[in-house]
Amino acid sequence: MPTTTAVRELPHPPREEIHLEAVLHALADPVRLRIITVLNAHGEGEGNGATCSQVELPVSTSTATHHFRVLREAGVINQCYRGTSKINCLRRADLEARFPGLLDAVLRAAAN
């Protein structure tokens, strides 16, 4: 029986293709704002992040999947598979390079 070692990868926009209007649209929803607030506490980069189920949301699983996809496609979060779990983390460095201070301003406003 053949075996496969294919790695599941999800499409993410490269840093230079992250657009302000897409980021602002992604951050305008209260559920997505809740997601980035939780992910901010988990850090960025290898070994950090949170699974989708670690982010408690008041929506169905399919709706949560939609919200994570919107954030990923806008370039706000990175999603990668670790085993069977999908790990999510903020793309803080990319967002800071493209739009200095934006993420911190949004997170401060969400905390109030």
Side-chain angles (χ1 to χ4, degrees):
M1 176 177 276
T3 61
T4 180
T5 58
V7 175
R8 296 183 296 176
E9 290 194 25
L10 299 164
H12 297 81
R15 177 185 284 185
E16 61 276 1
E17 292 181 19
I18 298 174
H19 299 289
L20 182 60
E21 61 275 11
V23 171
L24 292 176
H25 168 75
L27 298 177
D29 185 275
V31 172
R32 294 192 289 266
L33 195 55
R34 169 74 181 138
I35 292 169
I36 67 156
T37 300
V38 172
L39 294 181
N40 185 55
H42 284 271
E44 178 183 27
E46 189 66 31
N48 291 314
T51 63
C52 297
S53 62
Q54 288 177 303
V55 182
E56 292 184 32
L57 299 172
V59 296
S60 69
T61 302
S62 62
T63 300
T65 299
H66 164 75
H67 287 299
F68 279 100
R69 182 180 54 80
V70 169
L71 289 166
R72 177 178 45 81
E73 290 177 350
V76 177
I77 67 170
N78 182 59
Q79 291 185 305
C80 63
Y81 284 98
R82 198 172 298 145
T84 58
S85 297
K86 193 183 293 180
I87 305 299
N88 305 279
C89 63
L90 288 176
R91 291 181 65 179
R92 178 175 284 285
D94 290 337
L95 291 170
E96 188 62 26
R98 292 286 289 152
F99 315 110
L102 176 66
L103 184 59
D104 287 331
V106 169
L107 289 167
R108 272 193 311 275
N112 294 328

